[in-house]
Amino acid sequence: MYVIAARTDKDLPDASAEFAFRVYSEFTGKKLWSNNHTLICKTLEKEGNADIVRKFFQKYPQYVENYSRIPNEKEAVQYLKENLKAKPSDMGYGFITYVLKGVNVPYDLIDSEYL
């Protein structure tokens, strides 16, 4: 199991990162910790299915424009399940890092064995 942690200090990248973390957490059932611009979640020890990530972010924008426009994570999870036929085992840390890299939010990916 890995732990991914991101720290943001700007509103818009924060909104994008928060959306990715919330969707991942809701879909996989992994607990999301957030506090003072810090987002932390456990992930699988794999990058995940890149095709699902690509198709998901064709429907939902990688970069969220503002907090009032954050897509609903429950609808996003429903889209993953029904339209993309995704399973929680398809989701790895790549789902979150794809967004974090795109909005230039630094992150750490830590093997939970070292925590």
Side-chain angles (χ1 to χ4, degrees), residues 6-59:
R7 177 146 176 84
T8 62
D9 57 4
K10 302 268 188 249
D11 285 341
L12 295 181
D14 199 17
S16 300
E18 184 177 333
F19 175 65
F21 271 92
R22 284 178 17 196
V23 169
Y24 185 88
S25 176
E26 180 79 23
F27 187 67
T28 63
K30 306 277 186 226
K31 184 168 169 52
L32 170 64
W33 292 274
S34 63
N35 186 3
N36 196 21
H37 298 284
T38 302
L39 299 157
I40 300 170
C41 188
K42 290 182 179 179
T43 72
L44 298 176
E45 294 179 6
K46 63 180 184 177
E47 194 165 0
N49 186 323
D51 192 45
I52 288 176
V53 172
R54 182 182 51 77
K55 288 177 182 176
F56 179 83
F57 286 109
Q58 285 175 344
K59 164 104 172 128

Side-chain angles (χ1 to χ4, degrees), residues 47-89:
E47 194 165 0
N49 186 323
D51 192 45
I52 288 176
V53 172
R54 182 182 51 77
K55 288 177 182 176
F56 179 83
F57 286 109
Q58 285 175 344
K59 164 104 172 128
Y60 289 92
Q62 171 192 3
Y63 189 74
V64 176
E65 294 177 13
N66 63 47
Y67 271 110
S68 64
R69 289 191 156 155
I70 293 178
N72 182 306
E73 71 267 15
K74 292 190 186 317
E75 290 173 10
V77 166
Q78 184 176 357
Y79 177 78
L80 277 168
K81 289 178 180 175
E82 293 176 6
N83 295 67
L84 300 180
K85 306 295 186 225
K87 302 180 295 286
S89 60

